[in-house]
Amino acid sequence: MNDIFVLIEHRQGVIRDITFELLAFGRNLANKNNAKLTAIIFADNSKKIIDKIKTQADKITVIENPIFKDFNAESYQIALAEIIKKENPFITLIGHTAFGMDLCSSLATELKIPFTTDCLDVEINGKKLSVTRQMYDGKLNVKLQLQENDSYLVSLRAGTFPAEDGNLNAEIEKIESPISAEPDYRKFIEYIEVVAGEVDITKSDVVIGIGRGIKEKDNLDIIDEFADAIGGVVGCSRPIVDAEWLPKDRQIGSSGKTIKPKLYIAIGISGAFQHVMGMKSADTIIAINKDPNAPIFNEADYGIVDDLFKVIPVLKNKILEAKA
Amino acid sequence: MNFGLTNDQKMLQKEVRNFAETELKPLASEIDVSGEFPSENIKKLAEMGLMGIIVPEKYSGSEFDFISLAIAIEEISRVCASTGVIVAVNNSLVSYPILQFGNEEQKQKYLPPLCIGEKIGAMGITEPNAGSDVAAMEATAKLNGDHYILNGTKRFITNGTAADTFVVFAYTDKDAGYKGMSCFIVERDLEGFSLGKHEDLMGIRATGNCELIFEDVKVPKENLLGKEGDGFKICMNTLDVSRIDIGAQGVGIAQAALDESIKYSKERKTFGKPICHHEMIQNMLAEMATKIQAARLLVYYVGYLKDKGVKRFSKESAMAKYYAADIAVDVTRKAVQIHGGYGYTKDYPVERFYRDARILELYEGTSEIQKIVIARDLVK
Amino acid sequence: MNIIVCIKRVPQTAEAEVKVDSSGKDIEKDRLIFDTNESDTYALEEAVLQKEKFGGSITVITVGDEDSEETLRIALAKGADEAIRIKVEDLDELDGFKTAQILHKIIKDMDFDIIFTGCLATDDAYSQVGTTLAKLLEIPHASLVTKIELSENSADAYRELEGGLLEHLKIKLPALFTIQTGINVPRYASLIAIRRAARKELNEISKTEFGEMKSNSFIEELFTPPVSKLAEILSGNPDEVSEKLTGIIKEKGLI
Ligand SMILES: Cc1cc2nc3c(=O)[nH]c(=O)nc-3n(C[C@H](O)[C@H](O)[C@H](O)COP(=O)(O)OP(=O)(O)OC[C@H]3O[C@@H](n4cnc5c(N)ncnc54)[C@H](O)[C@@H]3O)c2cc1C
Ligand SMILES: Cc1cc2nc3c(=O)[nH]c(=O)nc-3n(C[C@H](O)[C@H](O)[C@H](O)COP(=O)(O)OP(=O)(O)OC[C@H]3O[C@@H](n4cnc5c(N)ncnc54)[C@H](O)[C@@H]3O)c2cc1C
């Protein structure tokens, strides 16, 4: 079988976790299907990256150019399309991340190859490819069969596959960048950091996460009181930030903060994977949600299926009693 | 015959429901407890165009028909019965009579501020000694040069504490009986006009209900609505229309009670199964749903008659209001029953619905009065 | 500034029970409430805000069944000037790629400066339509945009990356932006606007006019996600569960 390609994702000099997840997944897929795993690095300087991943792929293809210092989906698309056209891998794996989401559709469209996003699993069956992904707020899984083709593109959900150490010794191939300048119609300017607020939710042992189930801003009082009682800080899901009920630096999840507290209590949060990515490393996770089918219960250690407005005040008092 | 809603009615329903769920619902239980008039919400309601639903666009209204009015009041009442009646009064008890009986100047002066939320309207018919028997009212207005001198006390006035524009009834000629009654637009800032007792109500607690006291208030002559002696006619005609709103309010409260009951009955388990699988609970749910739908159709029907230009529909309007009130009380009572002891606590909204529903049998003509109207027509 | 906004009507499933239907390839829809896809409402609002600033007109387009007319009309009531529905009766055979191709067929002949789409539809969750469409139209794009500043021929777009980091890009117009939630505060449609919108003509185009189009994929089956690890659900009334939970928290030495 032709190669399996994995696109290396890095930002501000740091290899993103998704890279190791893709490599581990790609390696398993390659082993199962007798294929070679090739990692593709676009960077201005690839040395540090190569060092970190060289045990994890059969081959590393490196395209070094100053234009790849920062991510520009357009430059990546043009260059990667050239390489894929030439090498014709059976499948190219890219992270379903903010980078991947900006890159993949146009890449697949340019190459005219079947593509699907946000996959949890990929199965190769001869020349056929089927994937598993989620729909309807994570309440259902779907198995999709892609149009049969020689080459496929798939983006994988971050945080789904455990990273693994490798024992390979990758052959390194450096190739000229197919482009030498950023396209003039899309220029990368800069990265802008989120301004830090007064509370740092990544530093607290106990974090109370609040979601759309809180219904209105005024109800945050109940949560603040509860957080005070248990001695934690309040973080939230994205809709709470969208509604401007809490500042951006309290958002937990893929486009917010990643937290690793000893205890995380998710209240009125459905458990969308973007949220889960930010809190799943908590030691103990408790979920309070009135919907018994909410995906958050698949992540939690303990769950209460009930109306948060009924539970929280009682729970607060019990905690206070227990502390006294 | 057509039982479907039009495009604009469907869209109005959807958008008002979204608005009510997001903007009004969060406050509903809080203002029920505090009794505080939801002034902040009035601005948002006005921006949506809900304070002047049936008023033509040239007076800054939304120019919808009466079925749409019913739909809007139902959706609002479904999350907050207090806000439902606040909006109903502004539309049907105040804007409507000005629109129907006012002259062009009065319409231009009073309607736009009522529609855009700059001013709030209230209506004063009821007095300490005149409730069901409207003609027994004691308030008087004596012409004196270019103004009337208004004296009297109005009781139980919805929106009273918050309103700026009052439609008030008083006798200009007591000897002429009900034909001597007249109707005035009275502004809040007139000298001698004060607010009396604020009512601490059982339900719809955030409606600014209070007494209006008029002591030698000089009401400009041009504020007479219609002619002298038109008062009783204006009053009855207005109530025929406003009973659409009250019917719709009943349907909204009842629907909310049913929604909560369905949800609760699926969650609560007794004797090993969710209570919605017990036949007696199902019996209640089926009755509730059927009655609500029947009431809704009665209410829509009156709206349809009004929209079609039918002149007299007192009987139909009384039927809709009486029936909707009746089933709202019945449905909310059943909702409390389905919730068991929890239904009797403030942890669930159904106790509020039950209290709120109770007003429907009382205001804008008690249920007894509605039946009198219906029966009189039957045997006339 | 002529703006096209692509929107979609989707079932609201975050708090609803979602069941697979008898075909095994679709869900039971009759009890679900449908509304405009969340990020699409932000995309539309962004278009209206830009129009208020720069003038021009807004065209909303949906690929959808008859029920989507309401979605379009609500968009008209919120500030769009024109609405187009590309008629498809069997929505289930659409994947993100096919939808983008259909949109491309109609948009390629239109005059526009900007296209806004939502960044993700909550039903099929592809995050694919906008970015694919941009490529088909051969215009630049930026996805997951949470802030945008327009000038004559270009836009400063700010994409939201992991951790809330923003990627600032300069993009030449015409361009396509997929809009992330939270970029603005979507408005309600006023009653007057609803009344006007309800009477407006919608442009309807049959998909068959574009000829056959290929999907990228076919649904084999829908199923309830297997549970890797299910929480231990504490049972009882609020008092009982709180008691149990407090015990657990205490035992773990967290208080
Ligand atoms: C690119 C991208 C990045 C994203 N990044 C993030 C991110 O970083 N963080 C994030 O959180 N999201 C993120 N999201 C959004 C994410 O997809 C979900 O939309 C979001 O997490 C949902 O938030 P929620 O759980 O609060 O709301 P919902 O999904 O609406 O869930 C609300 C929950 O509350 C429950 N509930 C309601 N009322 C009560 C009650 N009275 N008692 C108990 N429970 C109740 C309901 O059953 C439901 O499960 C991102 C999305 C995209 C497309
Ligand atoms: C919350 C609230 C808001 C209100 N808002 C307004 C408002 O905005 N503007 C306004 O003008 N008024 C308002 N009212 C007044 C309301 O319309 C009157 O209370 C109502 O008309 C009944 O009058 P009453 O209270 O004097 O009862 P009464 O007329 O004294 O009636 C007492 C009882 O006798 C019954 N009864 C009376 N006559 C007969 C009869 N002939 N045959 C059989 N039974 C009869 C009645 O049905 C009732 O059961 C409001 C009242 C309340 C409580």
Side-chain angles (χ1 to χ4, degrees), chain B residues 14-15 23 48 57 62, chain C residues 34 188-189 191 195-196 199:
Chain B
K14 180 149 213 152
E15 201 63 5
E23 306 291 333
M48 278 287 282
E57 221 179 307
S62 300
Chain C
F34 284 73
Y188 296 100
L191 265 53
R195 192 162 45 75
R196 299 214 174 108
R199 283 164 183 67

Side-chain angles (χ1 to χ4, degrees), chain A residues 9 11-12 16 71-74 77 96-99 101-103 105-107 109-110 113-118 130 132-147 184-194 205-206 212-213 215 229-230 238-239 242 244 248 251 253-257 262-263 265 270 274 284-286 288 290-291 293 297-306 310-311 314-315 318-319 322-323, chain C residues 11-20 26-27 29 32 38 42 95 97 119-120 122-133 135-136 139-144 146-147 156 158-173 180-185 214-243 245-246 248-250 252 254-255:
Chain A
E9 183 172 324
R11 185 164 82 200
Q12 293 168 308
R16 312 281 307 160
F71 178 82
N72 181 341
E74 206 61 35
Q77 187 259 287
H96 184 65
T97 56
F99 284 179
M101 285 162 98
D102 215 31
L103 164 66
S105 304
S106 42
L107 179 61
T109 308
E110 170 71 31
I113 62 175
F115 159 57
T116 197
T117 60
D118 192 19
S130 59
T132 305
R133 56 192 305 285
Q134 290 198 319
M135 287 170 97
Y136 303 108
D137 293 297
K139 292 211 167 153
L140 290 183
N141 277 13
V142 59
K143 195 162 177 198
L144 286 182
Q145 171 95 55
L146 271 66
Q147 283 279 3
D184 65 341
Y185 49 84
R186 172 169 165 148
K187 294 242 179 265
F188 173 90
I189 308 290
E190 61 181 336
Y191 290 125
I192 302 167
E193 304 282 345
V194 225
D205 281 346
V206 178
R212 187 134 53 182
K215 293 290 186 257
I230 196 166
R238 178 171 190 115
D242 288 346
E244 296 174 5
K248 180 80 186 171
Q251 183 186 315
S254 61
S255 57
K257 294 260 163 77
K262 292 206 172 93
L263 174 64
I265 309 184
S270 62
Q274 293 98 340
T284 301
I285 299 171
I286 295 168
I288 302 173
K290 62 176 185 182
D291 176 1
N293 297 318
F297 289 121
N298 301 344
E299 300 300 329
D301 301 294
Y302 302 96
I304 293 178
V305 180
D306 205 339
K310 266 177 243 139
V311 176
V314 185
L315 185 59
K318 297 271 178 206
I319 297 274
K323 274 182 149 178
Chain C
Q12 307 295 301
T13 48
E15 295 188 23
E17 203 178 334
V18 186
K19 289 187 188 156
V20 181
D26 201 358
I27 55 165
K29 296 195 174 120
L32 295 172
E38 189 181 18
Y42 288 88
D95 64 358
F97 182 60
C119 68
L120 165 113
T122 54
D123 55 353
D124 53 28
Y126 282 119
S127 276
Q128 194 181 356
V129 172
T131 42
T132 305
L133 175 62
K135 185 69 196 177
L136 292 170
I139 57 172
H141 75 269
S143 61
L144 301 170
T146 53
K147 185 173 144 192
D156 283 276
Y158 300 81
R159 303 185 59 232
E160 193 182 62
L161 311 181
E162 286 76 15
L165 188 76
L166 293 181
E167 175 186 336
H168 176 186
L169 296 167
K170 199 151 196 94
I171 293 196
K172 276 214 178 120
L173 301 185
Q180 172 63 298
T181 58
I183 187 174
N184 52 41
V185 183
K214 235 174 42 176
S215 298
N216 249 334
S217 54
F218 327 86
I219 294 184
E220 279 186 351
E221 63 166 327
L222 281 177
F223 54 98
T224 314
V227 217
S228 43
K229 150 191 150 189
L230 185 64
E232 178 188 329
I233 303 290
L234 309 176
S235 61
N237 62 32
D239 206 65
E240 291 156 8
V241 293
S242 299
E243 185 77 45
L245 195 59
T246 307
I248 293 166
I249 294 172
K250 192 159 185 179
K252 290 188 181 277
L254 295 165
I255 47 173

Side-chain angles (χ1 to χ4, degrees), chain C residues 84-88 106 203-210:
Chain C
I84 302 173
R85 176 168 79 92
I86 304 172
K87 293 193 278 184
V88 284
I106 162 120
N203 300 303
E204 295 195 340
I205 298 170
S206 169
K207 184 198 80 176
T208 47
E209 286 174 29
F210 306 138

